[in-house]
Structure formats: structure tokens, C-alpha cells
Amino acid sequence: MEYDLITKLGNCIDNVYNNYAESSDRRTVAKIQDNHLVIEYRTILRVAKDHELEMQMDLVKSESKQMIDSRLRTIKQCFKEEAGRTLKAKKIMDFDNIETLTVSPYNPIRTLKYTFSVGYEVS
């Protein structure tokens, strides 16, 4: 990556001032990793049973794609203002992950952390 691209992109992916989260447990985090722009969606899920998890996962996956697309649009708009040119982003990978945070035999509700990451090659 070019130095100019990294500095201007770094200003645009600021996770403190340029991040818009829906609530405290839903957010996107952008970072430069291995010469690629990676945007992660993170949320906390509370589910009572396995069949509820299947229903919630469809909604969460849709929401994660929408929030990542929105964050990418915000980054592109900021980059255009900073650099005076458009940022080209080509999707090269995506994956999701679910981690169990709490489980108890006495409580039917489980707490899970869901992460969906998308990597882009930028130029």
C-alpha cells in the first residue's frame, strides 16, 4: 500500500469519531490488516433455545451485511473528501464466528458473541 493511501484511509477508519453504532452491543470496527481493509461487525446475542438461535441468526446476518455496507460507504465518502479521488474496494473474503460467553445449566438463556468480518482490497 502507498503511504498516501494508508494515511488518508487511516483518518477515515477512525473507530472513535467516525463510528456509528446502533447500540452499545452492535458496532462495526474497521482496520488495516495485511494490506487490506477489514471491517468487522460485532454484536452480543441472548438466546433461550437452539431454535431461537436459528431465527435470530438470519436477522443478525442481514443486519451485519447492512451495517458493513453502510460503514464502507462512510469510509469511501470520507476518503473522497480527504484525497480528492474515489476509493476502490474489492471484496476478497468474508467469514463469521460465534463464541459462547455464558452458559449455565440453571439458566436457559445463553449469551453469544457474533462477529462477521469482510476483507477488501483497496486502491
Side-chain angles (χ1 to χ4, degrees):
M1 288 183 129
E2 307 163 358
Y3 177 76
D4 185 48
L5 176 67
I6 291 173
T7 56
K8 293 199 172 28
L9 188 58
N11 291 336
C12 295
I13 65 170
D14 181 14
N15 291 311
V16 177
Y17 297 108
N18 292 336
N19 191 14
Y20 303 100
E22 282 190 8
S23 64
S24 62
D25 61 347
R26 286 179 170 80
R27 71 177 312 125
T28 58
V29 176
K31 58 188 171 183
I32 298 173
Q33 182 178 4
D34 297 331
N35 291 331
H36 301 293
L37 172 64
V38 178
I39 303 175
E40 290 181 352
Y41 168 84
R42 299 174 184 169
T43 189
I44 303 296
L45 301 171
R46 290 168 189 84
V47 292
K49 297 178 183 168
D50 288 334
H51 70 276
E52 284 185 19
L53 177 63
E54 291 176 17
M55 291 186 309
Q56 281 190 358
M57 286 309 298
D58 292 335
L59 295 173
V60 168
K61 286 181 182 183
S62 173
E63 180 185 49
S64 67
K65 290 176 184 176
Q66 290 173 2
M67 284 188 68
I68 287 175
D69 289 343
S70 174
R71 182 70 187 271
L72 182 62
R73 280 192 303 274
T74 303
I75 291 171
K76 283 183 174 182
Q77 180 183 5
C78 177
F79 186 84
K80 188 170 186 171
E81 292 171 5
E82 292 268 330
R85 64 180 180 101
T86 58
L87 178 71
K88 296 177 186 174
K90 179 182 174 187
K91 184 176 174 180
I92 56 171
M93 63 93 180
D94 66 347
F95 62 92
D96 59 351
N97 185 27
I98 298 176
E99 296 178 38
T100 303
L101 299 178
T102 60
V103 146
S104 170
Y106 306 108
N107 188 353
I109 297 175
R110 285 193 258 168
T111 304
L112 307 169
K113 176 184 170 187
Y114 175 74
T115 306
F116 181 66
S117 300
V118 180
Y120 298 95
E121 184 177 312
V122 292
S123 59

